[in-house]
Amino acid sequence: MALLRCAASFMKMTEDISEKNLEIHTKVFLKDAVFPNISNSISVLHRCETLLPVSEKVNLVRQPINAIANNACKEQLTSDLSKLEYNFPPKPV
């Protein structure tokens, strides 16, 4: 997906050409299907390294980094909240 996103930008397959263009399709797919998963985001980030400087130019490097950070924070919060549930004494009946 990283390669496809960079290729879309390089080939100018943008909103200027068509509303339903390759650039938009790859952005939406990355946002909805790839970035919600930490391991997928890490894979995209690794791929971005081989696509430099184009991947930086299209802001593709920043997106998986942000996704990894956000997902790690969500996992930590979820983990901490579940620990809190077990630390409170049961409510008296």
Side-chain angles (χ1 to χ4, degrees), residues 35-39 41-42 64-80:
F35 294 147
N37 181 289
I38 289 178
S39 61
S41 298
I42 291 170
I65 291 171
N66 288 342
I68 293 164
N70 287 335
N71 289 325
C73 287
K74 286 178 193 175
E75 285 183 9
Q76 183 64 44
L77 284 172
T78 303
S79 174
D80 287 346

Side-chain angles (χ1 to χ4, degrees), residues 2-3 6 43-55 61:
L3 180 59
C6 290
S43 295
V44 170
L45 184 59
H46 281 296
R47 184 67 172 146
C48 285
E49 187 176 13
T50 64
L51 299 169
L52 289 171
V54 177
S55 57
V61 174

Side-chain angles (χ1 to χ4, degrees), residues 74-89:
K74 286 178 193 175
E75 285 183 9
Q76 183 64 44
L77 284 172
T78 303
S79 174
D80 287 346
L81 289 175
S82 65
K83 289 177 187 175
L84 282 176
E85 290 176 7
Y86 295 111
N87 290 335
F88 284 106

Side-chain angles (χ1 to χ4, degrees), residues 4-52:
L4 190 58
R5 172 67 184 90
C6 290
S9 177
F10 179 77
M11 295 186 311
K12 308 267 189 254
M13 297 178 124
T14 64
E15 292 176 28
D16 298 338
I17 304 300
S18 170
E19 284 184 24
K20 296 181 179 180
N21 58 70
L22 184 58
E23 184 179 60
I24 293 296
H25 285 293
T26 56
K27 282 181 180 180
V28 169
F29 183 80
L30 286 166
K31 181 178 142 280
D32 294 344
V34 175
F35 294 147
N37 181 289
I38 289 178
S39 61
N40 290 344
S41 298
I42 291 170
S43 295
V44 170
L45 184 59
H46 281 296
R47 184 67 172 146
C48 285
E49 187 176 13
T50 64
L51 299 169
L52 289 171

